[in-house]
Amino acid sequence: MDTHERREETPGSAPELLRKAASGASRATACDDAYVPRSLWTEEPSARRPMADPVRTAAVRAVIITSLTLIQAMAAFLLSVAGSWLAFPTVLSSVASTVVATWSVLDVWVTRQVWNQRHGVVSVPSSTARQLRRERRRARRAARASAREASRIRRPGAGGLSGA
């Protein structure tokens, strides 16, 4: 639904008030309906779960470090082109910053994996499949046990401990 359609559907919107005025509705009624409190922000369901707080913190940290590293690399490049004495220390610190930025991006991935492992994010299809496999395994074991039992030759009176 587009914004234009939403505005037309909202009670008290301009097109609706104009229709009421044209149809002969009283001015007081049109003014009473004019103020309809609409929320500015409507929450829509998301297809994905929100990020966990530690993962979000690591991601924000990684973005900040990566952006600072890019700025520093650009400064190192410009200082190198200009032939400044600051070029060499800036290039060295840019290399170190690149290592730190790579580490911070890996930290996001590791934090996400640890969070999923510790807080038991279980996908329903895999747990359902696991349950079906267990049931099939039990059925196979029962079928093998009954086949083994049927294949045994049973003699009358055999199986007793006494010879009588």
Side-chain angles (χ1 to χ4, degrees):
M1 179 182 281
D2 291 333
T3 307
H4 179 67
E5 294 167 346
R6 285 186 183 148
R7 285 186 182 145
E8 285 183 357
E9 283 188 1
T10 307
S13 61
E16 188 179 342
L17 291 176
L18 288 175
R19 270 187 257 120
K20 281 185 179 181
S23 67
S26 70
R27 191 178 240 306
T29 312
C31 289
D32 291 339
D33 290 339
Y35 178 71
V36 175
R38 288 188 309 180
S39 65
L40 187 59
W41 184 268
T42 56
E43 197 70 33
E44 294 182 7
S46 175
R48 296 171 56 151
R49 292 187 324 269
M51 249 193 289
D53 287 339
V55 179
R56 187 180 305 113
T57 304
V60 168
R61 187 183 320 122
V63 166
I64 291 171
I65 290 172
T66 305
S67 63
L68 290 175
T69 300
L70 288 172
I71 291 169
Q72 190 175 14
M74 189 60 147
F77 172 74
L78 292 175
L79 286 171
S80 297
V81 169
S84 174
W85 64 272
L86 275 174
F88 182 68
T90 310
V91 168
L92 287 179
S93 65
S94 292
V95 170
S97 294
T98 303
V99 171
V100 171
T102 306
W103 188 270
S104 68
V105 170
L106 283 173
D107 180 49
V108 174
W109 182 69
V110 169
T111 306
R112 183 176 165 273
Q113 296 297 327
V114 168
W115 176 267
N116 286 341
Q117 188 176 10
R118 283 188 185 160
H119 293 88
V121 178
V122 177
S123 65
V124 175
S126 69
S127 62
T128 305
R130 203 173 299 125
Q131 183 65 31
L132 288 173
R133 281 196 304 265
R134 282 189 197 124
E135 290 172 6
R136 279 192 223 120
R137 225 178 285 132
R138 284 187 195 124
R140 277 195 308 256
R141 285 180 189 151
R144 274 186 292 197
S146 64
R148 243 181 309 177
E149 191 66 33
S151 68
R152 288 187 183 151
I153 300 173
R154 303 289 290 179
R155 283 181 247 132
L161 293 176
S162 66

